[in-house]
Amino acid sequence: MIDLFNYERRKSTVTHVGVLDIGGDNPVRVQSMTTTSTDDTQASVEQSERIIDAGGELVRLTTQGKKEAENLRDISARLRADGYKTPLCADVHFNANVADVAALYAEKVRINPGNYVDPGRTFKVLEYTDEEYACELQRIEDRLLPFINICKEHHTAVRVGVNHGSLSDRIMSRYGDTPEGIVESCMEFLRIFKKYEFGDIVISIKASNTVVMVRSVRLLIAEMEKEGMHYPLHLGVTEAGEGEDGRIKSAVGIGALLSDGIGDTIRVSLSEDPECEIPVAAYLTRYIRRRQGHLLIPAEAGKDFDYLRPERRQTVAVGNIGGENVPVVIATQNKANQPVMVSSADMPNPDYIYVNDTLPKQLVKGQKYILDYNAYIELATKGELPEDNVYPIFPTPAIPLIGTVRSEMKFLVLKYGTPSEEFLTCLKYHPEVVVVCTSNHQNKLGEQRALVHQMMTAGVRNPVVFAQMYQHSSADGQRKSSPITTKEAFQLEAAADVGALMMDGLTDGLWLMNDGDLSADDIEQTAFGILQAGRLRMVKTEYISCPGCGRTLYDLRTTIARIKEATKGMKGLKIGIMGCIVNGPGEMADADYGYVGAGRNKISLYRKKVCVERNIPEEDAVEHLLALIKSDRATQSEG
C-alpha cells in the first residue's frame, strides 16, 4: 500500500470543486476558513479575499442555519464581482436541512457524520441489536439521499469531515473511542455515496491528538482500498493552537502523512487570522514536494512492523535512552564554546550536550556530555576524564575502536548504506551503544526508516536517536522576501521530518542541528516541542485551542493570551480552549480541562469530557478555571 522508503503520491480520484480540481495529479491544495459571521457579507468577503490573496485556493465559511447558508449566494456574488473565482465551502453541523440549502450556493459542502443525523456525542451508552443498528444506517441513507441528489444537480462537491471529538453515541457504543470507530463513522457515509454513484468527495479525519489523527487516516486508507475507494484526502490537526506550538503540532501531524504521499489538500488550523494559515500550509507542501524523484532506497520493512497500528520499537535501555524512557533531546555546543542551556523557565535543559572535541572548563552539575571519541580516549589516557556524565561518540570508520573504549554508554553515528555486517555485529556485541541515525538523502525519512528496519530485521535492539541537520539563516536572500521566518522554516521542516518517525514508534531521541544563526535556545525548544506534539514527552502546558469561526462566542485570541499567562509553568497540563461546542464535548476528552463558549460571552468549564460549571460570565471565567485546577490539585495532593 504505502512504500515506507520511497516517496510517491498516493493515487486518488479527482474531485471537482468549482474551478478547482483536488486529487489525482493536481498539486496539494491549501485552504483556510473565515472567522467572520456568515451573516456579515462585507466582513466575510473582505476576509475571504485576504485568504485568497495570501494564496488560499478554497475558502470555508460556517453555516449554522439556513440564513447563513442562503447568504453564501450574496458572498459568492460579491467575490465574483471582484474578480475572484475561488470556490467556497459551507461548513455544516447538526442540521442536515442546512446542508441541503448550502449545496445550492456553495461549490462544496462539509458535513460531519458524527452529527449529520445522529445528535453527536453526549456520552450515552446505547445498545443496539444488529437489526436495530442496520435500521439506523438506513435512516442515515434515507436522509442523505436528497442531499446527494441536490449535489448532483448543482455539481456541488462534498467533504465528509469526521472529527474525533464529535463521534456519535451510536459509533462510540459499538466501536469505542478508537481509530477504528473514527474510520467506521466515515465509511458508513462513503458507502452510501458510492452506492448512489456520487464521486465528487473529499474526506477528512481530524483530531487534536496527532497520534489519533495519523493512525486514523492510515487506517482509513487501508479500509477504502479494501472497498475500491480512492477519494482525495483533506489533512489537518484540529485545535492545533497558535504561534510556534500550533505550527509545530500541525507540521508533525500533516507532515507525517504528506511524507508518505498522503494528502490532496490541507488546512493548518491556527488560532490566528486565517490568512496567516496559508503561508504555513504552502511552505509545508513545497518542502515535502522536494522529495519527488529521489534516488531509490532499496529497503525492506521489518517483519514485525505494523504501519496501521504501530507500537514503540522494543529496545534495551542504555542509561536513560531507550527502553521505557521518554525520548531524549541532544543539543550541540555553540561556536563560542559556551554551555548550551535552555533559558525558558518552563522548559527542561537538553539531556545531552555534544561538545565536539573539547569539554567545557566548568561542567554543569548533573549535565551529560557527548565528546568526540579521540578526545575522549586522550583524556582517559591522561587520567583527566571526569568520572561520569561524559560519553564518547564514534563515526562509522571508528567502529573497530568501540570495543577498546570503556564507557557505560557510547554513541555511534550511522547512515543507511553502511556495510551491514560490520555495524550489525558491533551493535549485537555492544548493547551499550546508542545509534545516532543521520541522513543527507533527498528523502531522509525513507533512509532513516530503512536503517532502523534493517536493525529490526537483524534483531538488534540498540536505541536510536534521529539527528537532523538544517541550514537556515536570516541572511538568506530568499528568506527576506518570504512570509515564513527563518525560525518558522526550521520548525516546520524539522517537525515534518520527524513526524512519521515518531508515529512509527521508532524515536528514542532527537538531535536537531542548524548551520545558520538560529539560537541554541530556539533549536532545543523546537526539539522538545516536536516530542510534545507527537505525544512522546510532555514538558510544558499544552493548549488545544480552536482557530475560531463564525460560531465563536467570545474573544478567542485575547482569552488564549489570558489563559496562557495564568497557567504557564503547569507542566504537562492540557487545556482545551474552544470558541463553541460544535466539535463536541469529546474534544475535551483529550484535555485535562476545557474552556468552551456556551453562549454570547458565556463560558462553560469541563473536567475532561464532563461539564462542571455552566454559563459563567466571560470576564470571570479564567479565574473560575484557575480555581478549578487549584482545587483538583489540592485534592490530589491530599490523596
Side-chain angles (χ1 to χ4, degrees):
M1 184 179 66
I2 297 294
D3 189 330
L4 293 173
F5 313 107
N6 297 286
Y7 175 82
E8 183 180 5
R9 281 280 301 278
R10 166 183 168 265
K11 302 298 182 186
S12 70
T13 52
V14 176
T15 290
H16 307 288
V17 186
V19 297
L20 185 72
D21 284 346
I22 299 174
D25 295 327
N26 293 290
V28 177
R29 307 298 190 179
V30 297
Q31 58 177 282
S32 185
M33 183 175 183
T34 60
T35 58
T36 55
S37 168
T38 311
D39 281 335
D40 188 334
T41 303
Q42 181 67 21
S44 296
V45 168
E46 290 176 355
Q47 193 173 71
S48 295
E49 291 182 356
R50 289 196 297 273
I51 292 170
I52 299 166
D53 290 342
E57 297 172 277
L58 187 146
V59 177
R60 183 157 48 113
L61 302 95
T62 185
T63 50
Q64 301 99 302
K66 289 184 178 180
K67 185 172 66 169
E68 288 85 359
E70 288 170 349
N71 199 46
L72 290 175
R73 174 172 47 190
D74 292 340
I75 293 170
S76 179
R78 287 278 300 277
L79 285 169
R80 308 310 170 221
D82 288 347
Y84 292 89
K85 298 181 180 179
T86 304
L88 303 181
C89 176
D91 193 64
V92 179
H93 293 266
F94 299 113
N95 193 334
N97 295 325
V98 173
D100 293 348
V101 176
L104 302 175
Y105 308 118
E107 285 83 3
K108 182 181 176 186
V109 177
R110 179 271 176 101
I111 57 173
N112 183 345
N115 54 39
Y116 181 75
V117 175
D118 290 326
R121 190 185 297 192
T122 60
F123 303 102
K124 293 179 181 177
V125 177
L126 305 174
E127 296 292 336
Y128 293 95
T129 65
D130 289 345
E131 183 178 359
E132 289 170 337
Y133 200 89
C135 287
E136 290 299 304
L137 294 181
Q138 184 61 51
R139 184 168 66 92
I140 292 173
E141 181 176 332
D142 291 344
R143 183 60 193 85
L144 195 59
L145 183 55
F147 174 67
I148 292 173
N149 289 333
I150 293 170
C151 291
K152 282 183 175 181
E153 181 182 352
H154 292 271
H155 305 288
T156 306
V158 176
R159 173 178 149 201
V160 178
V162 181
N163 270 85
H164 178 213
S166 56
L167 295 178
S168 68
D169 291 332
R170 177 178 58 80
I171 286 287
M172 287 287 292
S173 296
R174 175 156 289 202
Y175 293 92
D177 190 5
T178 62
E180 286 77 8
I182 296 170
V183 169
E184 183 60 23
S185 179
C186 184
M187 291 298 296
E188 289 178 351
F189 276 63
L190 295 185
R191 293 182 188 114
I192 297 170
F193 280 106
K194 183 180 180 182
K195 176 179 177 180
Y196 291 101
E197 299 180 338
F198 183 86
D200 276 332
I201 296 172
V202 178
I203 308 162
S204 70
I205 285 183
K206 293 190 178 185
S208 59
N209 182 320
T210 56
V211 177
V212 172
M213 173 257 196
V214 171
R215 290 189 180 183
S216 298
V217 172
R218 288 180 176 183
L219 187 60
L220 172 68
I221 291 171
E223 291 301 310
M224 286 200 301
E225 289 286 339
K226 290 179 185 177
E227 301 192 29
M229 301 177 186
H230 308 282
Y231 303 118
L233 293 169
H234 167 125
L235 305 182
V237 178
T238 191
E239 284 98 29
E242 63 171 358
E244 61 187 58
D245 289 341
R247 285 158 174 76
I248 289 172
K249 191 173 185 180
S250 294
V252 164
I254 296 172
L257 293 166
L258 286 179
S259 296
D260 281 336
I262 298 168
D264 302 285
T265 178
I266 69 171
R267 189 237 173 146
V268 175
S269 299
L270 300 175
S271 301
E272 303 173 22
D273 291 332
E275 58 266 30
C276 295
E277 298 176 349
I278 299 300
V280 179
Y283 191 91
L284 265 177
T285 62
R286 287 196 304 271
Y287 180 64
I288 300 300
R289 195 162 58 234
R290 296 180 199 171
R291 303 178 189 191
Q292 292 178 337
H294 66 75
L295 292 174
L296 183 71
I297 301 171
E300 294 184 3
K303 60 181 178 63
D304 295 325
F305 177 74
D306 186 347
Y307 179 76
L308 300 181
R309 297 175 180 84
E311 297 181 356
R312 185 173 181 180
R313 172 177 166 257
Q314 291 188 350
T315 59
V316 175
V318 181
N320 66 336
I321 305 179
E324 299 299 320
N325 296 295
V326 297
V328 299
V329 168
I330 299 177
T332 301
Q333 183 83 346
N334 59 32
K335 295 178 181 178
N337 205 33
Q338 298 297 316
V340 179
M341 304 296 281
V342 175
S343 60
S344 178
D346 62 345
M347 294 286 279
N349 294 318
D351 301 281
Y352 295 82
I353 299 175
Y354 170 58
V355 293
N356 297 284
D357 60 359
T358 307
L359 276 177
K361 293 180 180 178
Q362 269 198 310
L363 302 183
V364 176
K365 185 177 181 180
Q367 178 64 59
K368 295 178 172 64
Y369 298 90
I370 300 173
L371 182 65
D372 286 345
Y373 80 100
N374 47 359
Y376 185 96
I377 292 172
E378 183 179 348
L379 289 177
T381 302
K382 293 178 179 179
E384 298 175 359
L385 191 68
E387 290 185 8
D388 55 15
N389 289 341
V390 179
Y391 309 100
I393 185 167
F394 297 81
T396 302
I399 286 178
L401 298 176
I402 287 178
T404 68
V405 177
R406 295 184 61 183
S407 178
E408 63 184 16
M409 177 186 296
K410 303 164 187 173
F411 294 85
L412 172 62
V413 180
L414 285 176
K415 290 182 180 179
Y416 182 69
T418 300
S420 59
E421 184 175 349
E422 182 178 22
F423 85 81
L424 290 175
T425 301
C426 170
L427 295 179
K428 287 178 181 178
Y429 280 96
H430 294 285
E432 77 278 11
V433 170
V434 175
V435 172
V436 176
C437 178
T438 67
S439 173
N440 57 7
H441 194 277
Q442 185 180 342
N443 181 20
K444 64 173 72 175
L445 166 64
E447 198 170 65
Q448 288 180 313
R449 268 177 168 165
L451 179 69
V452 182
H453 280 263
Q454 190 176 22
M455 293 170 59
M456 292 166 65
T457 299
V460 169
R461 298 177 63 188
N462 302 66
V464 175
V465 172
F466 292 106
Q468 312 284 21
M469 171 62 79
Y470 301 92
Q471 292 182 311
H472 289 289
S473 174
S474 55
D476 185 344
Q478 291 183 338
R479 182 70 55 232
K480 293 178 181 178
S481 60
S482 171
I484 297 294
T485 67
T486 302
K487 182 179 176 181
E488 284 178 315
F490 169 76
Q491 291 172 332
L492 292 172
E493 292 182 15
D497 287 335
V498 177
L501 297 170
M502 294 192 295
M503 300 302 155
D504 288 354
L506 308 179
T507 308
D508 298 306
L510 184 56
W511 185 353
L512 301 183
M513 292 168 271
N514 183 65
D515 183 12
D517 56 7
L518 285 175
S519 71
D521 187 53
D522 286 340
I523 295 170
E524 283 112 53
Q525 288 200 43
T526 297
F528 282 114
I530 288 171
L531 293 176
Q532 176 147 327
R535 295 302 174 97
L536 296 183
R537 184 172 180 176
M538 303 299 290
V539 297
K540 58 182 178 179
T541 317
E542 180 169 344
Y543 302 96
I544 304 168
S545 61
C546 75
C549 69
R551 294 183 176 91
T552 301
L553 296 166
Y554 59 88
D555 187 332
L556 185 65
R557 288 164 185 77
T558 301
T559 301
I560 292 171
R562 289 175 60 205
I563 292 176
K564 280 190 169 184
E565 180 61 29
T567 58
K568 64 182 180 182
M570 295 183 179
K571 177 181 176 180
L573 192 69
K574 298 192 289 292
I575 300 176
I577 309 170
M578 310 294 171
C580 68
I581 201 63
V582 69
N583 281 333
E587 212 67 73
M588 260 60 72
D590 198 47
D592 299 301
Y593 298 95
Y595 181 105
V596 183
R600 185 59 58 186
N601 300 319
K602 296 289 185 180
I603 306 298
S604 291
L605 297 182
Y606 287 74
R607 183 188 292 113
K608 291 193 177 294
K609 59 188 181 183
V610 178
C611 185
V612 295
E613 197 170 356
R614 299 180 187 275
N615 298 319
I616 309 164
E618 181 187 356
E619 60 269 21
D620 302 325
V622 174
E623 286 71 24
H624 282 239
L625 173 63
L626 284 176
L628 175 63
I629 295 170
K630 290 177 181 177
S631 174
D632 285 353
R633 290 193 164 189
T635 302
Q636 290 167 5
S637 62
E638 290 172 4

